[in-house]
Amino acid sequence: MTASALTRVGLAAQTVREVQEIGPLEGAALVLRSSDGREVELTPNVQRALFAALAAIAEHGEVMIGRVPDELTSTVAADMLGVSRPTLLKWSRNGVLDSFKVGSHTRFRREDVVRLRDERERERRRAFEELRALDADGDFEYFED
């Protein structure tokens, strides 16, 4: 991803606090209101992107918005997945993630990387919920040194 593909917007601490105070937005809809009072509801895809940006600001205090190219280098794909480049290339060799060659360079399709990232996130959340359920049931033993 090139630097020109990113949009950076500085956020004041007050803005981050205001976003954090909004709280959960289930069932909400984002609407643009023009100066003459006319309202235009944003499309579902635009709303999802903006809600995701708000959630990232509330959780991390920042957000970076950019257009990821359709074809990714191994470095960019590894960064998106939160793994090392050698791990990514191992996954490619083992069939975990499809790749293709451009000359001698390994490339990945954005949609494949995003799909794997989402699958891994769902698996992490499922495992976390299982752990919470075990803890809530009292089936989890804590060991102290």
Side-chain angles (χ1 to χ4, degrees):
M1 184 182 326
T2 64
S4 62
L6 297 176
T7 301
R8 297 181 194 273
V9 177
L11 298 171
Q14 178 62 31
T15 303
V16 173
R17 281 192 298 277
E18 289 170 1
V19 170
Q20 290 169 335
E21 290 170 3
I22 291 172
L25 296 170
E26 293 90 17
L30 295 175
V31 177
L32 293 179
R33 183 175 300 125
S34 66
S35 59
D36 65 1
R38 186 175 51 95
E39 291 187 351
V40 177
E41 188 170 332
L42 300 174
T43 67
N45 287 336
V46 171
Q47 288 191 50
R48 275 192 292 279
L50 292 173
F51 281 135
L54 288 172
I57 292 168
E59 185 175 344
H60 306 291
E62 62 185 9
V63 65
M64 185 172 12
I65 298 174
R67 171 83 167 85
V68 179
D70 293 333
E71 185 180 297
L72 306 175
T73 66
S74 56
T75 302
V76 171
D79 287 346
M80 286 178 66
L81 291 166
V83 298
S84 68
R85 204 173 149 272
T87 295
L88 176 76
L89 295 174
K90 179 175 139 187
W91 287 355
S92 175
R93 285 190 305 274
N94 294 339
V96 174
L97 181 63
D98 289 336
S99 64
F100 58 96
K101 292 282 190 177
V102 173
S104 62
H105 301 281
T106 304
R107 297 288 188 259
F108 300 87
R109 284 183 292 283
R110 178 188 64 225
E111 62 267 11
D112 293 340
V113 173
V114 169
R115 187 179 310 114
L116 180 58
R117 182 188 66 194
D118 293 348
E119 286 172 9
R120 294 183 73 221
E121 178 61 26
R122 281 191 298 276
E123 179 58 27
R124 272 194 295 274
R125 287 176 192 230
R126 185 196 60 73
F128 178 71
E129 290 304 320
E130 283 181 12
L131 184 60
R132 286 183 63 192
L134 282 173
D135 189 40
D137 291 342
D139 293 341
F140 193 85
E141 293 185 32
Y142 295 95
F143 296 97
E144 293 184 26
D145 292 336

